[in-house]
């Protein structure tokens, strides 16, 4: 059965409040969780950016949920050796409950170290190289590596019995197909049904047959449609920017400036917006039928997050648990 999880948005909440929210989500019936790993929020209106790796230890201790974290092991903010150590520690303390979703990164977060920002092809090469280093360290090897990333005589002494899954993050069919051959799974985002199927097919075609696929489902839910649309626009209008642009902007102010060109009424093109739990249930039921292993719900409307958790826990999650999957 598909697990339905809660996306923990470090960009939108103080770490203490976010911890309370994920505890509430588990109590409401959410079965898993995942979080972002940002240095900056996308915009100043979001207002937060806690350190994910500190928070994850508290969240894993406070709940019984499994967690994933989107992160970047390309050697800018983090050496892959540091990601390997952080993830290994969490996996040793909380067996079978943690996975990482490595991506090629955005300048918004990685630019703080002041290095030249590479083109996408080079970032992908660093991503794969970083994941190879992580796997070698998780295997107990002493790693010296000199390539796009340098690691000197690194070895992890505290290892989990089973290493975490590396679930590659993809926003395009090209990246999805590339991930299929070496990642343990894939995570992607909501789009139209045809686009979602193209992502699945590309991952399978590239070698991902039989591997789990995770979905981050961005939505806005409130008491009225207009309120839900407004919350989506105020908090997450950058979703309208194409991935190549998202990766190249340096500061929240740059995102805010480009976001001024987005119209509020256009938000539904990139996000599920509705005040009706039955509509959200219908969308998610179709997701379940597509065979996702895990769907993590990210309600971007910030003002009534507790109500979103409670209403979905009562009216959406129980019904999704009765839906079968093909094959």
């Amino acid at each position: 059965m598909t697990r339905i999880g809660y996306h923990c948005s470090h960009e939108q909440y103080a770490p203490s409040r976010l911890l309370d929210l994920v505890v509430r989500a588990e109590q409401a019936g959410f079965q898993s969780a995942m979080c972002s790993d940002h240095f900056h929020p996308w915009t100043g209106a979001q207002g937060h950016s806690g350190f994910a790796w500190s928070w994850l230890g508290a969240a894993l201790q406070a709940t019984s949920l499994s967690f994933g974290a989107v992160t970047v092991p390309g050697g800018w903010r983090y050496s892959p050796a540091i990601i390997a150590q952080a993830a290994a520690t969490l996996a040793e303390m909380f067996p079978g409950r943690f996975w990482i979703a490595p991506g090629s990164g955005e300048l918004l977060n990685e630019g703080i170290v002041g290095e030249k920002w590479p083109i996408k092809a080079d970032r992908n090469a660093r991503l794969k190289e970083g994941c190879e280093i992580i796997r070698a360290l998780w295997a107990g090897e002493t790693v010296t590596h000199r390539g796009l990333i340098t690691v000197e005589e690194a070895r992890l002494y505290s290892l989990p019995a089973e290493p975490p899954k590396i679930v590659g993050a993809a926003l395009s069919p090209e990246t999805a197909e590339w991930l299929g051959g070496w990642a343990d799974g894939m995570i992607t985002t909501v789009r139209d049904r045809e686009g979602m199927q193209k992502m699945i097919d590309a991952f399978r075609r590239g070698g991902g047959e039989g591997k789990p696929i995770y979905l981050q489902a961005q939505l806005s839910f409130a008491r009225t449609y207009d309120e839900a649309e407004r919350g989506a626009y105020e908090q997450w209008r950058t979703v309208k920017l194409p991935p190549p642009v998202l990766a190249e902007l340096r500061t929240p102010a740059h995102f805010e400036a480009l976001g001024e060109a987005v119209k509020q009424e256009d938000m539904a093109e990139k996000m599920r917006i509705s005040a009706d739990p039955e509509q959200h249930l219908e969308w998610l039921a179709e997701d379940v039928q597509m065979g996702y292993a895990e769907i993590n719900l990210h309600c971007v409307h910030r003002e009534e997050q507790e109500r979103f958790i409670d209403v979905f826990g009562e009216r959406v999650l129980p019904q999704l648990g009765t839906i079968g999957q093909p094959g």
Side-chain angles (χ1 to χ4, degrees), residues 72-80 83 110 113 115 126-127 130 148-150:
V72 180
W76 297 287
R77 266 191 305 161
Y78 306 125
S79 164
I83 297 294
E110 310 310 316
V113 298
E115 293 186 12
R126 290 177 74 124
L127 166 60
L148 296 171
I149 302 168
T150 299

Side-chain angles (χ1 to χ4, degrees), residues 10-232:
H10 282 287
E11 304 94 311
Q12 294 180 281
Y13 305 100
S16 56
R17 172 128 188 255
L18 197 58
L19 186 61
D20 290 341
L21 288 171
V22 76
V23 169
R24 189 182 189 115
E26 181 181 32
Q27 293 169 347
F30 287 81
Q31 301 164 301
S32 60
M34 65 173 290
C35 75
S36 50
D37 176 14
H38 272 229
F39 190 87
H40 294 129
W42 297 105
T43 67
Q46 292 171 356
H48 289 280
S49 193
F51 186 55
W53 295 95
S54 300
W55 183 87
L56 279 162
L60 282 156
Q61 180 65 30
T63 71
S64 61
L65 301 175
S66 63
F67 277 78
V70 180
T71 191
V72 180
W76 297 287
R77 266 191 305 161
Y78 306 125
S79 164
I82 299 302
I83 297 294
Q85 184 185 34
T89 294
L90 291 175
E92 194 280 331
M93 295 171 69
F94 307 102
R97 291 177 53 200
F98 185 65
W99 49 273
I100 63 170
S104 59
E106 297 100 11
L107 183 59
L108 175 72
N109 301 304
E110 310 310 316
I112 61 168
V113 298
E115 293 186 12
K116 180 182 177 182
W117 188 237
I119 62 172
K120 174 64 171 173
D122 290 347
R123 298 201 308 273
N124 277 354
R126 290 177 74 124
L127 166 60
K128 187 175 181 184
E129 192 172 297
C131 289
E132 290 169 351
I133 291 167
I134 288 170
R135 283 196 168 117
L137 289 165
W138 285 346
E141 298 176 20
T142 298
V143 176
T144 294
H145 181 94
R146 298 185 184 92
L148 296 171
I149 302 168
T150 299
V151 174
E152 295 280 358
E153 296 187 10
R155 180 186 168 192
L156 298 181
Y157 284 82
S158 294
L159 289 168
E162 181 179 348
K165 281 188 172 61
I166 293 178
V167 180
L171 293 176
S172 70
E174 293 75 20
T175 299
E177 184 170 356
W178 173 68
L179 288 173
W182 61 268
D184 300 322
M186 178 182 73
I187 184 166
T188 187
T189 56
V190 160
R191 58 199 71 196
D192 63 76
R193 289 290 159 201
E194 182 180 358
M196 292 168 72
Q197 190 61 53
K198 284 181 179 179
M199 294 294 291
I200 293 171
D201 293 344
F203 181 67
R204 301 296 190 217
R205 184 169 61 247
E209 192 66 45
K211 298 177 182 179
I213 299 178
Y214 298 66
L215 182 68
Q216 182 182 349
Q218 291 176 334
L219 62 99
S220 190
F221 173 73
R223 295 180 188 273
T224 68
Y225 182 88
D226 288 346
E227 185 182 346
E229 185 182 71
R230 176 188 58 79

